[in-house]
């Protein structure tokens, strides 16, 4: 049976460039036993399978897969799925993933509409975080040097006073040699630095975060719809 998959780019810049591709699938169309196969065939860093909300409700459930395994939580799939639900006319206030209940909001700013999620810092993987000396060191990092069984997050300040950083993320153990924009990584680095951040990751994706002392972190980003991809 053919399957239509919505393809989004999550965490674009203000011009709609860059962003991390995401496959979004109506969960009712794919049996749970087949979801890992579909995610592997799509080949995106993550694919999210979303249960459409029941009429009159403001919450629903979702499951997230990399090409090799299911994740309890990830940032760019939850941002993307929340945007997708709003775009199709079924917005939610919460999205339930295996790690817990993610809060959802939308924020219209001068440089675009942002979808905002709020998650617990401990839901994100325990990244190996590398504090680099300069942005050039981040840009020159070689993914082949970070191929052990861990998620690696390299970063440096662009402007410490302004809270802006440059980052990259490598996770070959998840089937992701380099991730273009990593919401869970943004959660971890925000908790690590205990402050709000504006993050430029990958080729130029943008993530904005907010830190709270009670362990909650907000992650906000712009989303672009790249249309439908059909799997036969």
């Amino acid at each position: 049976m053919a399957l239509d998959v919505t393809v989004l780019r999550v965490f674009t810049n203000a011009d709609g460039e860059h962003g991390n591709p995401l496959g979004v699938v109506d969960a009712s169309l794919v049996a749970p036993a087949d979801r890992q196969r579909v995610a592997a065939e799509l080949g995106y860093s993550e694919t999210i399978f979303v249960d459409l909300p029941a009429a009159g409700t403001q919450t629903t459930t979702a499951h997230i897969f990399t090409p090799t395994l299911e994740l309890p939580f990830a940032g760019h799939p939850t941002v993307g799925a929340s945007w997708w639900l709003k775009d199709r006319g079924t917005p939610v206030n919460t999205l339930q993933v295996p790690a817990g209940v993610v809060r959802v909001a939308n924020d219209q700013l001068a440089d675009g509409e942002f979808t905002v999620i709020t998650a617990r810092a401990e839901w994100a993987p325990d990244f190996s975080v590398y504090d680099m000396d300069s942005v050039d060191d981040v840009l020159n990092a070689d993914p082949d040097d970070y191929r052990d069984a861990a998620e690696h997050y390299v970063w440096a300040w662009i402007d410490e006073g302004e809270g802006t950083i440059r980052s990259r993320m490598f996770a070959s153990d998840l089937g992701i040699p380099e991730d273009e924009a990593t919401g869970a990584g943004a959660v971890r680095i925000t908790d690590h630095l205990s402050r709000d951040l504006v993050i430029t990751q990958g080729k130029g994706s943008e993530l904005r975060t907010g830190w709270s002392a009670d362990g909650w972190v907000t992650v906000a980003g712009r989303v672009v719809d790249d249309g439908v991809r059909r799997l036969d």
Side-chain angles (χ1 to χ4, degrees), residues 34-185:
D34 293 330
R35 292 173 185 172
Q36 185 65 74
R37 175 186 58 79
V38 169
E41 186 172 348
L42 288 168
Y44 302 127
S45 60
E46 282 108 9
T47 297
I48 188 165
F49 297 83
V50 185
D51 293 302
L52 301 184
T57 65
Q58 296 293 315
T59 189
T60 194
T61 57
H63 290 268
I64 303 161
F65 289 80
T66 78
T68 60
L69 53 81
E70 182 176 2
L71 299 177
F73 165 76
H76 104 274
T78 49
V79 169
S82 300
W83 182 93
W84 178 76
L85 287 165
K86 179 177 181 289
D87 185 65
R88 69 183 301 277
T90 56
V92 296
N93 295 325
T94 57
L95 188 63
Q96 301 173 48
V97 298
V101 178
V102 177
R103 300 199 296 267
V104 177
N106 294 279
D107 199 355
Q108 183 68 49
L109 301 177
D111 55 349
E113 179 182 346
F114 287 77
T115 299
V116 186
I117 62 154
T118 305
R120 297 293 302 174
E122 63 265 23
W123 294 349
D126 191 14
F127 290 86
S128 295
V129 177
Y130 301 85
D131 302 359
M132 310 295 270
D133 290 333
S134 70
V135 169
D136 284 344
D137 288 339
V138 172
L139 298 178
N140 292 329
D142 186 346
D144 287 340
D145 293 335
Y146 301 89
R147 297 188 64 85
D148 58 329
E151 289 81 67
H152 302 277
Y153 193 89
V154 301
W155 76 279
W157 291 111
I158 298 171
D159 187 322
E160 186 172 359
E162 294 293 326
T164 58
I165 70 170
R166 191 71 171 83
S167 71
R168 295 170 69 192
M169 198 283 274
F170 315 114
S172 58
D173 62 318
L174 302 181
I176 308 168
E178 179 168 358
D179 205 25
E180 172 60 27
T182 313

